[in-house]
Amino acid sequence: MRRAMAVGGALAIAAMLTPAARPVVPSLVTASVDLPRHSTIVNATKRAADYYRTTYAHTTLLPKAGWSWATYSQGVQALYRQAGDAAYLSDGLAWGRSNSWHTTTREIDPDLLKAGQTYFDLNAIDRTASLAAMDATMANDLAHQPLSRYDWEDALFMGLPVWTRWAKRTGQVAYFDRLDALYAWARDSGATSARCRGRTVPQTGLYDAAQGLWYRDCTFVGVRDSRGQPIFWARGNGWVIAAMAQVLESLPPGGPRAQKYASMLRTMAARLVQAQGSDGLWRASLADAALYPEPETSGTALITYALASGIARGILDRATYLPAVARAWQGLTTISLQPNGFVTNCQRPGGSPGPSYLGHVPRIAPTSTSSGTVNTDSPPYCVGAFLLAGSAVARLPNNLSTGRPVTFTGQQVGHEARRVNDGDVTTRWSAPGFPKAVTIDLGADHLLTNSMVVPYAGRAYRFRIETSTDKVHWRLAIDHSTTRIRGSRLDDFPSGAVAARYARLTVTGVYATATIWAGIQEFAVY
């Protein structure tokens, strides 16, 4: 990012590395890697979130409503939408309340808009997430903000997805029109920015059509690095392609307005996979990986998120891009993600390619009263990008149960059994008394290997999962009938792959909660 942020000596280790001591750049991708199970993907993502969330209470990294923490919070809410753990929703609501649902005044917009995107998404779940301040901010920007404020590539991720959401909120086409105008200006005229006044640049826009990549801002257009290569920043291009994915989330699929953003996502995806290392990770400089040969997590995670999102939405061909996503996720979870949940190899805040922090642990570990140096050695936006990537990759394993027919032994009006597998963790199936069961018909025999159960309000529901090929003979797959553990349960079947057409969830009771109601927000098998 363009703004300065205090990071102390976060990059001391990387800074001390001489070029000769730095890691050798892996060759371009050749080997094939399989995508892990859904349970494996989500559990790895949760490990990063659970480590980092404890550091927020004592962080000294400000502003808390700024673009860095806003990106982190967006990642947490993406994980909530995927895994359903009530703690992640609570984190988002607490973050918004601590900011009084305002954006920061310590940064120039469009950076300040990013918090509003998460406020909007939280408001869709909980109306206590106030949008009043953002309504005023967006109305003011619509009336007064010049297009030239979007003169660096980071701005696209921070601002563009918010315009689509306020178009939806207000019903005013003017917000969509401003979205298109801001994007077009950055793409075609961003190199004419006032920051390059008096300087001749070889093109008027930040997008280089010949390269299929974006310059960070006008000061990089036509400039070469110390090795004579053009400067295309991995994180910066990650911001752009992730912005395309997030804009498309709020546009009618296949509609004329969406086409330009889908086309850019496809073009950038095709170019970016050419720069992926054999370890699955991207380097800070896309055109000159040897300039900073260490892996870079934030750029990799943003690119991975966009590729996975594009596949899930049918914009990118699954057969073509899934191998790149699988390799990227393997690299992110074996190189970037440490066993304790610390995310490393993050490039510090800046505006161009640079070195990453390479430590396997923060310089100063967090304690019960201090965040240590976690938030500077592993900045919030980097972890947020990792969470966005994991949440998007988790959508790609074949969910065999969503939307399939459901039978039940009980249900509550308004919380019917069909909601248990609707793919939405904000809805639920409820039924009075124990035991209560739902059975999903998968339509044909499939090999099942893992499951997800999201309990209402994070309760420690006790349950078992059984499978059957004929709905007569049942086989026990998962038994949590004596559990005391709260939160979502992501389980691999101990017996391995099981052939089944039917999957049955039976809730037998609940631990340490005084209720007669069985309540499950989502039940899925993979």
Side-chain angles (χ1 to χ4, degrees):
M1 300 299 293
R2 173 152 56 90
R3 286 89 20 228
M5 179 184 289
V7 295
L11 299 181
I13 294 177
M16 290 189 295
L17 288 174
T18 64
R22 288 176 179 163
V24 176
V25 181
S27 60
L28 294 182
V29 167
T30 55
S32 177
V33 175
D34 292 330
L35 198 67
R37 295 177 178 179
H38 175 267
S39 56
T40 302
I41 297 167
V42 176
N43 279 322
T45 311
K46 289 176 63 175
R47 182 153 36 106
D50 292 346
Y51 175 87
Y52 209 75
R53 64 190 295 263
T54 62
T55 72
Y56 180 76
H58 305 291
T59 188
T60 57
L61 194 63
L62 302 175
K64 290 185 176 181
W67 64 272
S68 186
W69 280 113
T71 301
Y72 167 74
S73 186
Q74 185 185 38
V76 172
Q77 294 317 301
L79 179 56
Y80 169 71
R81 287 282 189 175
Q82 186 56 232
D85 288 87
Y88 302 140
L89 176 60
S90 296
D91 282 355
L93 293 169
W95 172 73
R97 285 193 296 267
S98 72
N99 299 326
S100 299
W101 304 105
H102 282 72
T103 57
T104 177
T105 58
R106 291 183 55 183
E107 298 173 339
I108 63 169
D109 92 316
D111 285 347
L112 62 83
L113 295 187
K114 196 61 183 178
Q117 183 178 349
T118 300
Y119 297 164
F120 180 96
D121 294 344
L122 285 166
N123 177 267
I125 303 171
D126 189 321
R127 296 300 181 185
T128 65
S130 174
L131 299 182
M134 276 300 300
D135 284 338
T137 295
M138 294 303 293
N140 181 72
D141 279 7
L142 180 64
H144 303 295
Q145 182 191 64
L147 300 181
S148 59
R149 295 300 289 271
Y150 281 63
D151 69 343
W152 78 104
E153 58 190 349
D154 318 38
L156 303 187
F157 179 80
M158 304 306 161
L160 293 188
V162 189
W163 290 96
T164 64
R165 282 158 171 78
W166 256 259
K168 179 179 179 179
R169 173 167 169 79
T170 64
Q172 296 182 34
V173 176
Y175 284 93
F176 278 137
D177 292 342
R178 179 56 61 91
L179 160 78
D180 291 342
L182 289 166
Y183 169 64
W185 192 90
R187 182 192 62 203
D188 303 330
S189 304
T192 65
S193 168
R195 74 175 78 200
C196 286
R197 184 177 288 115
R199 179 171 174 262
T200 301
V201 293
Q203 66 177 58
T204 58
L206 298 182
Y207 175 61
D208 189 323
Q211 292 282 347
L213 297 171
W214 289 62
Y215 295 101
R216 196 271 181 176
D217 58 57
C218 65
T219 63
F220 293 91
V221 179
V223 175
R224 301 279 171 163
D225 67 20
S226 60
R227 296 163 52 88
Q229 299 300 316
I231 303 172
F232 294 107
W233 185 30
R235 185 163 74 230
N237 278 271
W239 291 133
V240 176
I241 194 171
M244 300 302 103
Q246 292 190 358
V247 165
L248 288 164
E249 289 175 354
S250 301
L251 295 177
R257 195 179 295 271
Q259 290 179 7
K260 66 174 75 68
Y261 303 102
S263 176
M264 180 59 70
L265 193 153
R266 292 189 194 99
T267 299
M268 293 186 70
R271 175 63 179 86
L272 286 165
V273 295
Q274 298 174 17
Q276 186 180 24
S278 59
D279 58 3
L281 302 172
W282 279 265
R283 272 54 193 171
S285 180
L286 295 172
D288 190 3
L291 188 65
Y292 297 102
E294 58 268 25
E296 205 289 297
T297 296
S298 62
T300 295
L302 290 166
I303 295 166
T304 305
Y305 161 72
L307 296 181
S309 179
I311 293 170
R313 294 183 61 83
I315 297 167
L316 297 179
D317 178 67
R318 185 181 181 96
T320 301
Y321 289 98
L322 188 61
V325 170
R327 285 187 292 264
W329 186 244
Q330 182 186 62
L332 284 169
T333 52
T334 60
I335 298 173
S336 299
L337 180 65
Q338 300 303 298
N340 68 348
F342 178 68
V343 176
T344 191
N345 294 332
C346 299
Q347 184 190 345
R348 63 175 290 172
S352 62
S356 303
Y357 175 78
L358 301 179
H360 291 177
V361 295
R363 289 169 296 123
I364 301 174
T367 68
S368 60
T369 59
S370 169
S371 63
T373 59
V374 172
N375 304 144
T376 50
D377 297 341
S378 185
Y381 61 82
C382 189
V383 179
F386 182 93
L387 301 182
L388 285 171
S391 301
V393 173
R395 297 171 60 191
L396 301 181
N398 193 12
N399 182 339
L400 301 166
S401 49
T402 297
R404 301 297 304 173
V406 180
T407 56
F408 53 89
T409 61
Q411 64 178 359
Q412 179 188 22
V413 175
H415 301 295
E416 294 83 4
R418 60 182 171 79
R419 300 178 185 273
V420 81
N421 66 329
D422 61 359
D424 184 351
V425 298
T426 69
T427 64
R428 72 179 186 272
W429 158 64
S430 292
F434 301 108
K436 283 295 184 290
V438 286
T439 302
I440 301 175
D441 182 353
L442 305 178
D445 284 353
H446 297 276
L447 287 177
L448 308 181
T449 61
N450 61 113
S451 63
M452 179 176 74
V453 175
V454 179
Y456 174 60
R459 293 171 179 167
Y461 278 112
R462 292 171 166 176
F463 63 87
R464 62 178 182 268
I465 298 173
E466 300 162 288
T467 62
S468 174
T469 57
D470 57 11
K471 215 176 182 181
V472 175
H473 303 91
W474 293 90
R475 176 177 182 175
L476 183 65
I478 298 294
D479 187 359
H480 287 312
S481 58
T482 61
T483 190
R484 297 184 176 187
I485 299 175
R486 293 177 55 85
S488 298
R489 304 304 298 267
L490 296 125
D491 294 293
D492 293 333
F493 293 172
S495 58
V498 175
R501 172 172 175 168
Y502 303 94
R504 182 168 68 191
L505 170 70
T506 303
V507 182
T508 59
V510 62
Y511 173 73
T513 300
T515 181
I516 64 167
W517 288 89
I520 301 297
Q521 293 176 207
E522 198 71 14
F523 170 42
V525 291
Y526 302 84

